[in-house]
Amino acid sequence: MTANPTGVPARPLSATTAMLDVRGLKKVYEGRGRSVEAVRDLTFTVAAGELVCIVGPSGAGKTTLLRCIAGLLDATAGEVVLEGERVTGPPPGMAVVFQEYGRSLFPWMTVRQNVELPLKEKKVPKDRRRRLVQDSLEAVGLAEAQDAHPWQLSGGMQQRVAIARAVAYEPHLLLMDEPFAAVDAQTRADLEDLVRSLWQRLGVTVLFVTHDIDESVYLGQRVIVLSNSPTVVLEDVPIDLPAERDQLTTRSLPRFAELRSHVYELIQLAKSGHRPA
Ligand code: ADP
């Protein structure tokens, strides 16, 4: 990781160190003579290898939180610590998959070139690059589409390219920002299963931000529910569903319905302005 210019001592790494530690995060937007307190006080951790979903109503501060975690926005107070180091800019161990796949892929490059580009920037040797690109495209079922251009592919396929690119980068933390909001329901279900299977196979830590309650319960080992803005954590809900999940069986479990209702109620409370005691 990069040197720490803030002078805040990094914690020593150990087996119990959280992959991600968000501590007392606060963000106030300043501008045009007024200030907006978007995020008040967010504290949570994500352990190495976890798949955690963040859910909250529109305007709940999800984008603000994500930008702070990705090092794209400075916090007003508090800090984000990734693998023991304070985040002060885009951290090298992180990859992000955004909602707008159409804008995140370069249309003049082939699928293979798009996936390979960050690896070149990371100075991964050529042979290894080839292997990583091949493996990640196979993992998302796009090995046959390597020489196509993004605009020749469906929306769901383009988002799989974006996922392959993130996975090929071998991130320690994979951040996903409403990645399936723009695809149809069937594709969305397939992509959800793809994320679960990649996560199980690769052991990567995933933080998945969504406003979709069912999606958060289906995917996550935990669901962190945000209040409305100025944001705090309303509840950190453990999802005690079996590790092996599939769209039909898991979603028809009584426990799935209970958890879904619980998160739904929390979101309703959040919308009505409820804050934790
Ligand atoms: P979400 O992603 O959950 O919809 P956001 O993080 O976009 O939430 O927004 C949280 C709050 O911060 C909202 O009240 C929004 O109006 C405000 N906000 C977001 N970005 C800015 C900005 N650049 N300047 C001022 N206020 C902002």
Side-chain angles (χ1 to χ4, degrees):
M1 298 215 97
T2 49
N4 180 351
T6 62
V8 175
R11 294 175 316 153
L13 275 175
S14 72
T16 54
T17 300
M19 171 61 68
L20 177 72
D21 215 341
V22 176
R23 304 174 185 160
L25 187 77
K26 179 184 179 81
K27 178 65 192 177
V28 179
Y29 289 103
E30 306 280 359
R32 293 197 196 135
R34 67 186 199 114
S35 59
V36 178
E37 187 189 13
V39 168
R40 176 160 296 169
D41 180 4
L42 282 179
T43 298
F44 61 89
T45 58
V46 178
E50 263 191 309
L51 197 174
V52 175
C53 292
I54 303 249
V55 70
S58 186
K62 298 184 293 296
T63 308
T64 305
L65 166 64
L66 227 123
R67 289 192 178 145
C68 290
I69 293 174
L72 300 170
L73 196 62
D74 288 334
T76 307
E79 60 181 357
V80 174
V81 178
L82 181 69
E83 294 181 286
E85 289 212 26
R86 185 177 179 153
V87 171
T88 54
M94 187 183 295
V96 189
V97 176
F98 295 103
Q99 176 181 333
E100 296 189 14
Y101 49 81
R103 282 209 254 163
S104 83
L105 301 174
F106 293 117
W108 61 88
M109 288 185 178
T110 63
V111 165
R112 183 176 353 96
Q113 288 166 337
N114 266 286
V115 175
E116 194 177 15
L117 185 65
L119 304 180
K120 281 187 173 168
E121 284 167 7
K122 201 180 171 185
K123 309 239 176 332
V124 177
K126 197 168 180 183
D127 284 354
R128 173 121 185 97
R129 263 188 351 239
R130 288 239 165 97
R131 184 79 264 143
L132 286 169
V133 171
Q134 183 68 30
D135 287 353
S136 67
L137 284 172
E138 270 171 23
V140 303
L142 282 181
E144 307 299 313
Q146 299 201 26
D147 296 319
H149 286 81
W151 44 269
Q152 295 173 300
L153 308 176
S154 68
M157 286 166 94
Q158 289 182 46
Q159 194 55 303
R160 279 194 279 155
V161 177
I163 293 170
R165 183 176 57 185
V167 165
Y169 193 73
E170 300 188 289
H172 298 175
L173 178 66
L174 178 57
L175 217 52
M176 307 192 85
D177 181 14
E178 308 238 8
F180 311 144
V183 298
D184 64 81
Q186 180 57 53
T187 306
R188 185 175 193 138
D190 293 344
L191 289 171
E192 286 167 359
D193 288 338
L194 176 65
V195 166
R196 289 265 324 165
S197 75
L198 288 174
W199 165 69
Q200 281 174 323
R201 233 173 57 206
L202 306 175
V204 62
T205 311
V206 181
L207 187 62
F208 192 104
V209 177
T210 179
H211 65 264
D212 186 311
I213 295 163
D214 287 50
E215 183 166 81
S216 71
V217 173
Y218 180 68
L219 284 179
Q221 293 178 301
R222 279 157 58 208
V223 173
I224 297 175
V225 185
L226 303 183
S227 74
N228 67 352
S229 183
T231 322
V232 295
V233 173
L234 214 51
E235 198 171 306
D236 190 336
V237 184
I239 304 297
D240 51 0
L241 294 169
E244 289 308 316
R245 298 183 192 176
D246 73 74
Q247 297 285 351
L248 272 182
T249 323
T250 308
R251 285 180 191 267
S252 51
L253 291 173
R255 185 64 185 145
F256 183 89
E258 279 169 24
L259 288 163
R260 186 197 171 281
S261 302
H262 182 60
V263 175
Y264 183 84
E265 278 165 19
L266 288 168
I267 298 286
Q268 292 306 110
L269 283 172
K271 282 187 186 166
S272 67
H274 173 83
R275 332 269 312 163

